[in-house]
Structures are given as structure tokens and as C-alpha cells.
Amino acid sequence: MRKLRPSGRLRALSGLLAAGALIAGLTGTTAHATESTLRTAPAEIGIQFNPDGDAGQCGGTTGQQWSSNPDFTRPIRIDTDNRSGGCQLAFGIYDPDDTLAGLSLSYRFQASPGGDAGQCGNPGTYQMPIQRFRTFGPSVRIDTDNRAGWCNLAFTVSGRSDVVLDVQFYADGDGGQCVNALPAGQYQSAFAGAPVTVGIDADGRSGGCQLLLRLRRV
């Protein structure tokens, strides 16, 4: 019995179909590879918060924490008073894929005008390091009590117009201890040309001040 052999036209059509399937497969693979290449890890903002005396003055999340948009960091709670020691506070930015190139973000810590500077340890202006590994800038020390004045903590963004630092700062007791605070859940945004300053005046009055941060692109 003779075997049926495909005609030249049929062989050509089969070849075209096979080539089309191969191209489609390669295109899908390329698209997947391109999508994977374009997917970048989000930058994270970090807070380091530790007591150096009576730990009851430094509540909420102590140690190190990191968070990326759309989440805020977990609250840190500042409730310093006449108890021994204070709270050490520092910030940093983790940017593994260099998505924040050109950004500068700083924090300034100083006593209020006429205030007792001894309440605000290691005053100055410091850069939040923006690195491919998790690290923090210099620590400032909060040791407010019944002495005059308070400590101002200012956040400044520069170098990029598409990056914003959201600052939640609210009182959970006597509101006079938390200068420039808003109700819980509301926030101020620091962006290029518009810094945000909060004042920490915790003392023997009831409650303390809670601080949360979020870094986001706009």
C-alpha cells in the first residue's frame, strides 16, 4: 500500500504554523523576561528607636523597623519625663534598586528658641542615608521633661519633585506635649520646598506623642 505524502503546499503550510508557534512562544518568554526586569523593589523608610534609661519613656515599636508605601511605619511613642535616660532616634532609607537616585532627605533636631538645650541631645542636621542596604543616620536623643521649651524635629526633602514623606504625629494624652500635632490618622507631607516640623515637649503630663512615617512617589 502506498503511503500518502503531503504535497509541497501542505508542507509549506505546516512549516509556517510551526514557525508561528515558535515565535509566539519566544514572544511570550521575552515579554515575561521584560516584565520581570522592569519590576523593581520599592524603597523603604526605616526608624531606629531605643531607650537609654527607663524604657517606659520610649514605647510603641522599639529597635529597628522598615516600611514601604502604601504602609506607614508602626508608631513609636515618646513619653519622656523626669525618669532616668531618654530615647535615641534615627532614620534611614533602603533603596535596593536605586529608584530614588537624586533624592536628599534630612532630619534636623534642635531645641526650641529659649528652650533648655539639654533636653535635645546631639542636635544638628543629618542626612537619612539612602543605600542598597539597611542602615541609619546619626541618632538624636530625646530627653524632654519639665525644663523650659521642647525639641523640634524637622524633615526636609530635596532633589526630587516626585517623592513625598508623610508624617503622622499625634498626642495620646495632653496635646500640649506634641507641638504641631494633628489628630490620629491625619498627616502632613514634606516635599521639595516644604519641610515638616514637629515639636516634642513630653513631660510629666498625661500621655505622650506618637510618630509614624511613610515614603511615597507621587
Side-chain angles (χ1 to χ4, degrees):
M1 183 176 182
R2 294 176 59 188
K3 292 184 179 179
L4 294 176
R5 295 183 178 179
S7 66
R9 180 177 297 179
L10 184 57
R11 285 197 301 271
L13 179 59
S14 298
L16 286 173
L17 290 173
L22 177 61
I23 292 171
L26 290 174
T27 302
T29 302
T30 302
H32 178 73
T34 302
E35 181 183 353
S36 299
T37 302
L38 293 176
R39 190 182 299 122
T40 56
E44 301 175 4
I45 187 159
I47 299 178
Q48 183 172 257
F49 184 60
N50 291 302
D52 60 18
D54 189 312
Q57 301 178 102
C58 316
T61 300
T62 55
Q64 299 183 11
Q65 60 164 311
W66 297 87
S67 182
S68 61
N69 187 45
D71 297 323
F72 277 87
T73 57
R74 296 182 299 278
I76 63 169
R77 184 174 186 271
I78 304 161
D79 188 23
T80 48
D81 49 32
N82 290 321
R83 288 171 286 181
S84 65
C87 304
Q88 301 272 350
L89 177 61
F91 307 95
I93 297 173
Y94 171 56
D95 185 20
D97 290 328
D98 201 27
T99 60
L100 300 179
L103 176 69
S104 176
L105 214 162
S106 65
Y107 53 104
R108 185 180 74 250
F109 190 65
Q110 61 185 15
S112 61
D116 189 316
Q119 302 177 101
C120 315
N122 197 26
T125 300
Y126 305 103
Q127 291 294 316
M128 289 190 195
I130 303 174
Q131 299 288 353
R132 293 175 182 265
F133 53 91
R134 292 180 173 89
T135 188
F136 296 93
S139 292
V140 298
R141 184 173 187 269
I142 305 164
D143 189 23
T144 55
D145 48 35
N146 292 325
R147 288 171 285 180
W150 60 85
C151 302
N152 281 321
L153 177 62
F155 298 99
T156 300
V157 177
S158 62
R160 293 272 293 261
S161 60
D162 63 337
V163 179
V164 169
L165 178 68
D166 296 325
V167 181
Q168 279 196 56
F169 184 67
Y170 62 90
D172 59 21
D174 189 314
Q177 300 178 102
C178 313
V179 182
N180 295 333
L182 294 176
Q186 298 183 24
Y187 58 86
Q188 305 175 68
S189 297
F191 52 90
V196 168
T197 301
V198 297
I200 303 163
D201 192 21
D203 51 30
R205 290 170 286 182
S206 65
C209 305
Q210 304 216 26
L211 175 69
L212 305 83
L213 300 177
R214 177 177 65 187
L215 188 67
R216 61 186 171 93
R217 301 274 294 275
V218 295

